[in-house]
Amino acid sequence: MDILSQIQVHIMKNRAVLSAKNIFDFRGVKIQFFSEFEGLYDKMQKHIIENNMILIGNKDDNYITASMIFIQSDFAKVEYKKEKKELIVYGKYDDFSVGRALYYILEYYYECIGACISNSLLIHSAAVYCPELQKSILIIGEKGSGKTTVAFKLCKEHKMHLIGNDLVKVGYDQKNELISKNGSLSFTIRETAARNDEDLSIFISLFKKRKISGWNNKIVLVPKELGVKTHNEDAVIDLIVEVRIDNHQKNFVVEDKYNTRTALILHEKVGRHISAQSTPFLDDYDRYLGTLPLIDYSVNSSIRENIVKAMIQKKVYRLSGSKSDNLVEWISEKVKR
């Protein structure tokens, strides 16, 4: 019996009750990982911790159980068996032995199959929780636009609680209200951001002993060590802001008029893996191998449409200026009105 057949037999025997071994336990989704190569699971877990990309949940209800399999092969491809909820990755072990590429495929898989449980999707954004209002603030923007700076200062200077500074799950509840669900509960800061942002420059010394430099050099700071509280429960979103800190901009500007750009930005940001274009299939060395299969696309696309429409209806404020202070003060005053 070949390795694939052996793995498939093992899955069938263990599908009813998944053991604790090699299970990625996310909120609403359990994915059991199988491979003939020991250690790959631990390497993938290491990337979860280092990249702080997916928050591991602690709720036991409405679980979907699924499987992800890595098969050593001379050819590279990914196939999805919907009826069994199995995602099978084929490829050379040396191209996936670091575990980074497998982790990103796992994230894609988790995002696709888990969306329908909570009516929520992963958004590249930051979010904070205002304990006085018991509501949250969603902060969107391009890479390097200042999301981390704004979130950090809202927490440090205005006593808000961090939900996430890189990825946040956003969805809607039974009343169709927009809610933040959970996020990356730490501050992930790139060296380039610390060197170009005076508010983050206090962290520059933490990068000096690292071998990596520039854009790829990033550190993960624990909010508790910085005196910042965190929040990881569902919260109604009170305010949505798109931020941009530009040292060359003279004036602080607030825009709230709906335009085509707003729809395009939201459509791109909401559901980083849910789009009409397939997600690329890469190995650990970022070599392009093909595309990942679309999974539950029609259902997830509908969820994205509902979220985007709700965000547009709520209004998105676009804040831009040369200093973060103006943006942070405006947000703080806005939520208190």
Side-chain angles (χ1 to χ4, degrees):
M1 184 181 295
D2 60 23
I3 184 63
L4 176 57
S5 299
Q6 293 176 35
I7 290 174
Q8 288 175 332
V9 168
H10 184 66
I11 291 173
M12 293 305 296
K13 288 182 178 179
N14 292 277
R15 182 165 294 282
V17 179
L18 291 177
S19 68
K21 186 177 180 181
N22 286 8
I23 290 180
F24 295 97
D25 192 353
F26 306 115
R27 179 167 291 185
V29 180
K30 286 183 180 179
I31 300 176
Q32 189 164 24
F33 179 74
F34 295 94
S35 174
E36 61 184 303
F37 300 100
E38 294 185 6
L40 279 180
Y41 171 82
D42 292 333
K43 290 178 180 179
M44 292 164 70
Q45 284 280 19
K46 180 173 178 285
H47 284 288
I48 288 179
I49 296 171
E50 288 182 348
N51 291 288
N52 197 32
M53 300 290 280
I54 296 178
L55 177 69
I56 297 178
N58 52 18
K59 290 186 177 179
D60 262 354
D61 51 346
N62 297 324
Y63 263 106
I64 288 179
T65 57
S67 304
M68 178 175 167
I69 308 166
F70 174 73
I71 304 294
Q72 160 78 357
S73 173
D74 290 333
F75 59 90
K77 75 170 185 177
V78 181
E79 63 180 8
Y80 177 59
K81 297 185 176 182
K82 183 176 181 179
E83 66 282 358
K84 296 182 179 180
K85 281 195 165 46
E86 292 176 4
L87 189 73
I88 305 175
V89 182
Y90 299 88
K92 296 179 180 178
Y93 173 73
D94 290 343
D95 295 340
F96 293 90
S97 60
V98 176
R100 185 169 69 97
L102 290 174
Y103 162 70
Y104 282 112
I105 296 171
L106 172 75
E107 181 194 302
Y108 169 77
Y109 190 27
Y110 154 78
E111 170 75 349
C112 290
I113 65 175
C116 61
I117 292 180
S118 57
N119 288 326
S120 65
L121 292 170
L122 207 58
I123 298 181
H124 180 71
S125 62
V128 295
Y129 175 77
C130 179
E132 294 180 13
L133 294 177
Q134 296 186 336
K135 293 183 179 181
S136 61
I137 301 162
L138 183 67
I139 306 164
I140 63 175
E142 300 298 327
K143 289 184 178 180
S145 63
K147 296 186 299 296
T148 295
T149 301
V150 171
F152 178 68
K153 295 190 73 172
L154 284 170
C155 291
K156 286 292 288 183
E157 299 174 6
H158 297 275
K159 308 302 180 184
M160 296 193 186
H161 302 172
L162 179 71
I163 295 173
N165 91 306
D166 188 37
L167 293 174
V168 177
K169 293 278 280 188
V170 172
Y172 48 90
D173 59 17
Q174 294 179 345
K175 298 178 181 178
N176 288 323
E177 284 192 288
L178 276 175
I179 55 174
S180 59
K181 299 189 71 66
N182 53 49
S184 47
L185 283 172
S186 66
F187 286 103
T188 304
I189 300 175
R190 296 183 185 274
E191 181 184 5
T192 50
R195 295 192 179 280
N196 292 297
D197 189 321
E198 62 180 359
D199 295 300
L200 300 180
S201 61
I202 57 175
F203 302 116
I204 289 177
S205 61
L206 300 178
F207 293 94
K208 291 182 177 178
K209 295 182 180 181
R210 297 167 65 90
K211 296 180 180 179
I212 305 172
S213 62
W215 178 257
N216 289 322
N217 191 11
K218 55 187 178 181
I219 55 174
V220 177
L221 302 177
V222 179
K224 187 177 181 180
E225 296 176 344
L226 299 173
V228 171
K229 294 183 179 180
T230 58
H231 183 83
N232 188 30
E233 298 298 327
D234 293 359
V236 173
I237 296 175
D238 182 65
L239 180 66
I240 305 171
V241 294
E242 179 189 351
V243 301
R244 188 188 70 203
I245 300 173
D246 184 350
N247 296 330
H248 301 289
Q249 183 170 321
K250 294 182 179 180
N251 301 320
F252 171 59
V253 178
V254 178
E255 302 171 89
D256 63 0
K257 301 295 183 182
Y258 169 79
N259 55 32
T260 303
R261 179 183 175 281
T262 303
L264 292 174
I265 289 293
L266 294 178
H267 196 72
E268 176 185 304
K269 295 295 180 188
V270 175
R272 62 201 302 259
H273 290 316
I274 311 301
S275 66
Q277 295 180 346
S278 297
T279 300
F281 173 33
L282 309 174
D283 65 13
D284 285 331
Y285 306 98
D286 295 327
R287 290 177 294 212
Y288 179 77
L289 302 174
T291 57
L292 297 178
L294 292 175
I295 299 174
D296 297 338
Y297 173 71
S298 60
V299 174
N300 295 338
S301 181
S302 176
I303 293 171
R304 179 174 66 169
E305 288 177 11
N306 292 337
I307 293 174
V308 171
K309 287 177 180 178
M311 292 174 80
I312 291 173
Q313 184 175 5
K314 191 168 192 64
K315 187 177 287 190
V316 178
Y317 292 89
R318 294 179 295 281
L319 313 180
S320 60
S322 61
K323 293 185 177 296
S324 61
D325 291 348
N326 293 330
L327 283 72
V328 171
E329 288 300 324
W330 186 92
I331 293 171
S332 177
E333 291 299 319
K334 183 69 175 176
V335 297
K336 291 177 182 177
R337 292 173 191 169

